[in-house]
Amino acid sequence: MNTELFDRSQEIKKFDDSKLGVKGLVDSGITSIPQIFVHPPETLAGVGSKSTTKHKPDIIPIIDLSGADSDLLRPTIVEKIARASRELGLFQVINHGIELEAFDRMLGATRAFHEQPAEMKTPLYHRDVDQDIILISNIDLLYSKAASWRDTLRLKLGPKLPEKLPEICRNEILEWNQLVTQVGELVMGLLCEGLGIETDRMKEMGLLEGRLMAAQYYPFCPQHNLTMGVAPHTDYGVLTVLLQDQTGGLQIKYGEDWVDVKPVPGALVINIADMLQIMSNDEYKSAEHRVLANSSNEPRISVGIFFEPSKKDNLYEPFPELISQEKPARFQPVKFSEHWTRFFSKELGERSVMDSYRLPVEKKD
């Protein structure tokens, strides 16, 4: 057993020390994936089976935001977003104000970064998650049961922008950061109204100011049924706004099934994250999701912006307006910096982090 553990650690070290990521493995011409990428059966449940999407494949709401500034239409939009956030924790939005050309620029710039010569990227490859800019393959590589088939350019974009962004995608990152922040403000306002609290409540708390971007690259995987693009998990922050290309592969957990989040041209995926589940006192659901390994010859590209509190050492707890005798607080106050540290020092899908904040429910006689 000790030998197996030692061998695995050596294989992980060899992969990580190469600083070439999954893209480097593909470029080397491999026809089978290294053992460290093979996932256990429980993680691969439903992978490669049509049963993963047969249960209500059209369950993901597509919500039109074009009437959000209308006194007549806004209440209906609020109701749709609130229902999706309570039932699924994930939905797609269209007519959000971002042109398709901006989608193409950001996706193209992400691909250009990951496909540039290795010597241009390796100086950014490391595991210091406190740095503003890192290139990394599997942020939980040292803790996970198995690695997943992707590389990530990870940037902290708020409250302050990094001094030096990668030149090959600098302009597109600056543009996307600005555009998605506007969408995030709109959606957060609608989510607040769905909870019955003031529209700007989350904005005033600084929940738009903390932003982290993950520009993901999923190359072709020669044994895509044995691994994942991203293992099942929930996001750690408040809200995630995701741009995905048209390749597909993102899935959300719905009951015991995994349901495809089908790409829609011009749509952004919005998902509720852990901190908003806490602050909404369990009203909104932090969506469990995963990404299948890419079986297409073309790489899959996605860009997520994770909104998180800018005041990381503040305590965050359920909004007082949402606490009553009938529904007492479900979570204890949480310091975001501690949640962040615990999230990134465990395997990606480790739910015990959230469970540790949950207060026991008193049984009524």
Side-chain angles (χ1 to χ4, degrees):
M1 185 174 181
N2 289 337
T3 302
E4 290 178 5
L5 290 173
F6 175 78
D7 289 344
R8 177 171 175 76
S9 66
Q10 287 296 102
E11 195 172 349
I12 288 172
K13 187 177 187 304
K14 180 181 177 182
F15 168 73
D16 211 35
D17 286 351
S18 76
K19 299 188 176 184
L20 299 175
V22 172
K23 176 71 164 55
L25 293 176
V26 174
D27 289 345
S28 73
I30 63 167
T31 56
S32 61
I33 64 175
Q35 186 64 30
I36 61 170
F37 288 92
V38 177
H39 279 254
E42 60 269 21
T43 306
L44 295 170
V47 172
S49 169
K50 292 182 180 179
S51 65
T52 55
T53 58
K54 73 176 184 179
H55 189 68
K56 297 187 178 179
D58 298 320
I59 195 172
I60 311 299
I62 301 170
I63 300 173
D64 188 340
L65 298 182
S66 59
D69 57 354
S70 162
D71 291 340
L72 182 63
L73 298 177
R74 189 178 178 97
T76 300
I77 296 172
V78 168
E79 191 276 330
K80 288 180 179 178
I81 283 179
R83 185 170 67 245
S85 300
R86 287 182 168 95
E87 294 176 357
L88 291 172
L90 183 145
F91 52 92
Q92 301 201 61
V93 294
I94 57 174
N95 293 324
H96 37 63
I98 302 180
E99 301 293 335
L100 280 173
E101 290 80 5
F103 278 47
D104 294 339
R105 285 192 293 271
M106 189 64 239
L107 291 170
T110 298
R111 180 168 183 168
F113 172 85
H114 285 283
E115 293 185 351
Q116 65 184 320
E119 59 269 21
M120 302 295 290
K121 300 182 293 182
T122 51
L124 294 175
Y125 193 102
H126 58 83
R127 295 208 162 269
D128 185 355
V129 296
D130 290 324
Q131 293 296 311
D132 288 345
I133 304 173
I134 63 174
L135 172 64
I136 199 165
S137 186
N138 289 256
I139 200 161
D140 63 340
L141 180 68
L142 305 182
Y143 312 106
S144 62
K145 299 181 186 71
S148 294
W149 202 256
R150 74 181 183 285
D151 295 328
T152 306
L153 172 64
R154 184 175 177 273
L155 310 101
K156 293 182 182 179
L157 299 181
K160 186 174 70 173
L161 285 165
E163 291 183 5
K164 191 174 181 181
L165 294 167
E167 190 61 35
I168 195 169
C169 51
R170 179 180 184 277
N171 292 338
E172 292 81 3
I173 288 171
L174 291 173
E175 177 189 39
W176 195 249
N177 177 49
Q178 182 179 20
L179 292 171
V180 172
T181 299
Q182 293 170 359
V183 175
E185 180 175 352
L186 172 59
V187 173
M188 278 193 185
L190 296 166
L191 286 164
C192 283
E193 292 176 32
L195 292 171
I197 61 179
E198 291 295 322
T199 303
D200 292 333
R201 183 69 169 278
M202 288 196 279
K203 180 181 178 182
E204 291 168 354
M205 293 174 66
L207 303 186
L208 282 163
E209 296 171 9
R211 294 182 303 283
L212 186 145
M213 174 185 283
Q216 310 267 33
Y217 185 88
Y218 304 83
F220 165 73
C221 181
Q223 292 178 298
H224 55 88
N225 288 341
L226 296 181
T227 189
M228 298 296 302
V230 182
H233 68 288
T234 60
D235 290 343
Y236 67 94
V238 178
L239 189 75
T240 304
V241 179
L242 177 73
L243 164 64
Q244 61 171 341
D245 66 13
Q246 298 301 300
T247 304
L250 175 63
Q251 294 185 328
I252 183 174
K253 189 74 176 290
Y254 181 71
E256 296 302 314
D257 295 322
W258 286 100
V259 179
D260 286 334
V261 183
K262 295 179 180 178
V264 175
L268 292 169
V269 178
I270 310 290
N271 71 269
I272 307 301
D274 292 349
M275 295 304 293
L276 187 48
Q277 180 170 343
I278 291 170
M279 290 187 291
S280 72
N281 203 30
D282 250 359
E283 285 292 315
Y284 292 160
K285 177 183 178 183
S286 185
E288 185 177 4
H289 53 288
R290 70 181 187 181
V291 179
L292 303 180
N294 183 19
S295 61
S296 168
N297 288 326
E298 287 296 308
R300 177 184 186 268
I301 310 293
S302 71
V303 181
I305 288 192
F306 304 87
F307 290 93
E308 58 188 44
S310 59
K311 300 177 177 67
K312 299 190 185 303
D313 288 326
N314 281 11
L315 288 170
Y316 295 88
E317 58 189 324
F319 293 115
E321 300 94 319
L322 305 181
I323 298 173
S324 64
Q325 188 172 358
E326 292 73 28
K327 189 173 182 181
R330 299 287 174 83
F331 297 95
Q332 65 187 38
V334 178
K335 187 180 286 189
F336 179 71
S337 58
E338 293 179 2
H339 177 58
W340 191 92
T341 299
R342 293 177 71 181
F343 185 92
F344 286 109
S345 60
K346 288 180 177 285
E347 185 172 16
L348 191 60
E350 179 57 75
R351 286 295 295 175
S352 64
V353 176
M354 271 285 283
D355 293 341
S356 66
Y357 310 136
R358 190 174 288 279
L359 294 170
V361 178
E362 292 186 12
K363 293 182 179 180
K364 296 181 179 180
D365 296 331

